[in-house]
Amino acid sequence: MGVIQELNIFRPSIHVGHIEAGLRLENSAIHAPFSATIAGTHYPCTYNEITPEPLSILPKVKTPCIGVCSTGIGDAVCRGCKRYAHEVIDWNGYTEEQKRIVDARLAQFLAQCVQNRFRIVDRSLLSWQLETQQIRHNPDHDPHCWIFALLKAGAGQIENPAAFGFEVNLAYREHSLVELREQIDAEYYALSSAHYDRYYLAPDLFGRESAG
């Protein structure tokens, strides 16, 4: 898995007040019958399923693709966006509702991985920094996903996480932000792979066993 490339885009900024949050999707939490233990950490793997809203209100779901696709070389789960191979192939044919289901799963899995290592101390400051630094992110995702967007853009350039509205959890303060970013990406992939194995491989295996 390649190293995430940073952009040299960070510049001095002054927080002048609270940034109004944009449209927030109303989610209803559901608990999937699935859990995984990855790198010594237990993930219950619950994620938010989107509550239907009028399509005229909801913004269109942007593709999760980050331009680093490994499904073309045989991976069942993309090492870039963490979608499953069939989701990558069929994405343009999905309805907006189908895309939201996939997007919600990806966002919640990523948020779980980030939350193990970071704590948000000022959500409005974090949001403001993302806007000021012009870093691509989804304002409707869990704000822990915003931290990962910051780390992807410039983990090596952030000297004081508090200035960006977050802090490193005590157990991980001996690690650099670059190391933590790579750890999160690896666990995010492992978590997505475990979910894929549980829901897409197991039924096929059971089916072949039954057929035999």
Side-chain angles (χ1 to χ4, degrees), residues 29-36 43-48 105 109 195 198-199:
I30 64 170
H31 297 277
F34 165 72
S35 64
Y43 293 87
C45 299
T46 60
Y47 60 92
N48 294 330
R105 184 194 73 231
F109 281 6
H195 189 268
R198 170 64 178 83
Y199 285 104

Side-chain angles (χ1 to χ4, degrees), residues 178-196:
V178 173
E179 291 173 334
L180 293 176
R181 179 189 65 193
E182 299 304 321
Q183 290 174 17
I184 290 169
D185 191 61
E187 289 191 14
Y188 183 23
Y189 177 75
L191 185 57
S192 297
S193 296
H195 189 268
Y196 177 85

